Amino acid sequence: MAKIAVLGYGVVGSGTVEVFYKNKENLEKKAGEPLDIKYILDVRDFPDSPYADKFVKDFDVILNDPEVSVITEVIGGLKFSYGYVKSALEAGKSVVTSNKELVAAKGAELLAIAKEKNVNFFFEASVGGGIPIIKPIHACLEANEIDEIAGILNGTTNFILTKMIRDGMGFEEALRIAQELGYAEHDPTADVEGIDACRKICILASLAFGKHVYPDNVHTEGITKVTLEDVEYMDSFDAKIKLIGCARREDGNEISIGVFPAVIKDESQLAGVNDVFNAILVRGDATGDVVFYGKGAGKLPTASAVVSDIVSAVKHSDTSRSLTWTDSEQSFIRTFDRFTCASYIRLSADNVEVTKAVIKALFGDVEYLSSKKQPDNELAFVTGVMSEKDTLNACEKVSDGAKILGRIRVLDY
Ligand code: HSE
């Protein structure tokens, strides 16, 4: 009998317990032995819960119980989680977590402890909610060198952008609806500023490229500067604006990585991902593009990934050899000024013809876009592929009564 503990009885924790008991018989067949949740840790009381007898408030009760072999951390944040997870691994217990902040900040260290103690540290639920992506990358695509990963990794911002694109709704109103529907947090900063997506692309990049990528080293922009005007120009370019986290292998064992709103052509599978759905494109050198799509958040989808990891941890108690990466120096990440892509640029011009000549001199041949509500003194265009440094330099040199109103990178997936 494998005994499990669940740390945290919030949305994901209660979903984990619900899915576990709903499918227990089947899970036991897959695990090859009886399973039970022995403890649930939470500071709150749940006297009316059918699991009331399992609640404890003291983590040491769990840590010191030799019967508990798998600990599930679904508290979130770093404050309590880091210490609990580290102690659990050091005590020789496998850990399953949905906590992207923890994995993005401490993954290399925790994987090393898991290896030393010959237990597992699993985190399928930390990226893409119910979408299988961690195991596919390290177990199903291991024959490939992964050249690139790009994803719509945050449901809240995808919901907001979908409202702007489909309904012509402004950012603030779309955010308010996302909050009312429970997608966005009361403080939506981590979602709308790209911080949540950054943690997720860091985890994927660490796994795909084998060295820890820390969020502080990743160029991160959110969606707060995307305007309805930008969205409206996209019809004439057959494209959509999406918040993308991307990481690509570059020459010389470096990677480029970033999170930012990006223009994606309609023919890309990422352009059709709407509402709170997530999608992750993995470009392997043997497979070409593989796209994983589904619900990137929510109680039961996330619990699905957590419970699957619990079963895997019971079935394979020795450390996974493929789910691993090492610690790293920042030098492995190419500075963002060398990132290359095309750009969509919108500007106002005192004299449109003069500004078109300036644009030609600075950016070369560009493709002009149009919008139904385009003011007479406004131009929007897409450049060729340029480095970030050259694009910013060119933008700074825009003159003769022209003023840049917005720029969004254009990605090709
Ligand atoms: N706030 C996150 C999102 C939850 O909107 O995608 C899942 O990580």
Side-chain angles (χ1 to χ4, degrees), residues 38-63:
K38 185 166 183 182
Y39 300 109
I40 304 170
L41 180 86
D42 204 289
V43 287
R44 298 164 295 175
D45 291 312
F46 295 89
D48 302 327
S49 162
Y51 313 109
D53 60 325
K54 297 180 188 297
F55 279 88
V56 292
K57 290 189 165 67
D58 181 0
F59 174 67
D60 285 344
V61 171
I62 297 168
L63 188 66

Side-chain angles (χ1 to χ4, degrees), residues 98 100 125-126 128-129 153-157 183-185 191 196 200 276 278 296-298 302:
S98 60
K100 57 234 163 187
S126 65
L153 299 167
N154 182 267
T156 302
T157 45
Y183 300 143
E185 306 290 331
D191 290 317
D196 176 77
K200 292 168 179 168
V276 283
N278 284 191
T302 309

Side-chain angles (χ1 to χ4, degrees), residues 393-409:
N393 279 342
C395 286
E396 267 178 27
K397 287 182 189 145
V398 165
S399 57
D400 295 289
K403 186 171 167 248
I404 303 269
L405 301 173
R407 172 195 168 216
I408 301 176
R409 296 174 191 86

Side-chain angles (χ1 to χ4, degrees), residues 119-138:
V119 292
N120 278 306
F121 178 51
F122 286 156
F123 40 87
E124 184 63 65
S126 65
V127 181
I131 306 171
I133 185 64
I134 301 292
K135 194 180 267 185
I137 288 179
H138 75 86

Side-chain angles (χ1 to χ4, degrees), residues 304-336:
S304 156
V306 172
V307 172
S308 298
D309 271 353
I310 291 173
V311 173
S312 292
V314 171
K315 267 197 302 200
H316 310 287
S317 53
D318 293 354
T319 310
S320 163
R321 290 190 191 179
S322 56
L323 177 54
T324 187
W325 63 75
T326 56
D327 212 345
S328 68
E329 300 296 323
Q330 184 183 350
S331 56
F332 137 82
I333 298 168
R334 186 171 274 197
T335 54
F336 197 67

Side-chain angles (χ1 to χ4, degrees), residues 20-291:
F20 179 88
Y21 281 109
K22 180 167 172 283
N23 297 336
K24 185 169 177 286
E25 203 178 314
N26 204 12
L27 297 173
E28 287 175 331
K29 280 190 202 140
K30 288 171 182 165
E33 64 178 293
L35 307 170
D36 202 11
I37 294 176
K38 185 166 183 182
Y39 300 109
I40 304 170
L41 180 86
D42 204 289
V43 287
R44 298 164 295 175
D45 291 312
F46 295 89
D48 302 327
S49 162
Y51 313 109
D53 60 325
K54 297 180 188 297
F55 279 88
V56 292
K57 290 189 165 67
D58 181 0
F59 174 67
D60 285 344
V61 171
I62 297 168
L63 188 66
N64 297 326
D65 185 336
E67 275 194 341
V68 174
S69 57
V70 180
I71 293 186
T72 304
E73 185 277 307
V74 283
I75 300 169
L78 292 182
K79 193 173 171 192
F80 297 104
S81 304
Y82 174 49
Y84 289 168
V85 168
K86 193 171 170 180
S87 309
L89 293 169
E90 282 169 343
K93 298 177 193 294
S94 284
V95 172
V96 169
T97 185
S98 60
N99 187 338
K100 57 234 163 187
E101 188 175 354
L102 176 70
V103 182
K106 306 286 182 186
E109 179 192 354
L110 296 171
L111 283 165
I113 300 171
K115 188 174 176 190
E116 188 197 324
K117 297 293 176 182
N118 200 28
V119 292
N120 278 306
F121 178 51
F122 286 156
F123 40 87
E124 184 63 65
S126 65
V127 181
I131 306 171
I133 185 64
I134 301 292
K135 194 180 267 185
I137 288 179
H138 75 86
C140 312
L141 294 171
E142 63 187 342
N144 291 259
E145 285 288 332
I146 291 176
D147 294 322
E148 192 153 359
I149 298 182
I152 294 170
L153 299 167
N154 182 267
T156 302
T157 45
N158 205 38
F159 176 85
I160 292 170
L161 289 171
T162 302
K163 282 277 170 212
M164 292 173 77
I165 293 164
R166 278 195 185 153
D167 304 339
M169 192 179 281
F171 172 83
E172 292 298 339
E173 194 184 350
L175 171 59
R176 189 180 50 72
I177 294 177
Q179 283 172 317
E180 277 170 15
L181 290 172
Y183 300 143
E185 306 290 331
H186 180 63
D187 175 1
T189 312
D191 290 317
V192 299
E193 297 296 354
I195 298 163
D196 176 77
C198 175
R199 290 172 180 145
K200 292 168 179 168
I201 194 66
C202 284
I203 295 169
L204 296 178
S206 302
L207 183 60
F209 303 117
K211 292 183 192 171
H212 196 112
V213 178
Y214 289 95
D216 284 351
N217 297 331
V218 176
H219 176 93
T220 302
E221 292 172 37
I223 61 165
T224 52
K225 293 189 185 120
V226 176
T227 66
L228 276 179
E229 287 80 5
D230 298 322
V231 166
E232 280 159 9
Y233 277 106
M234 291 306 124
D235 279 348
S236 68
F237 193 53
D238 298 323
K240 302 282 182 292
I241 299 171
K242 296 285 172 190
L243 182 70
I244 299 288
C246 59
R248 69 168 81 124
R249 185 188 297 280
E250 303 281 7
D251 296 336
N253 288 327
E254 288 182 326
I255 64 160
S256 287
I257 183 164
V259 174
F260 43 80
V263 174
I264 303 287
K265 293 291 276 183
D266 284 340
E267 62 254 30
S268 164
Q269 292 191 70
L270 297 182
V273 177
N274 290 313
D275 299 315
V276 283
F277 282 85
N278 284 191
I280 301 141
L281 179 149
V282 182
R283 190 165 284 174
D285 66 348
T287 54
D289 291 353
V290 184
V291 179

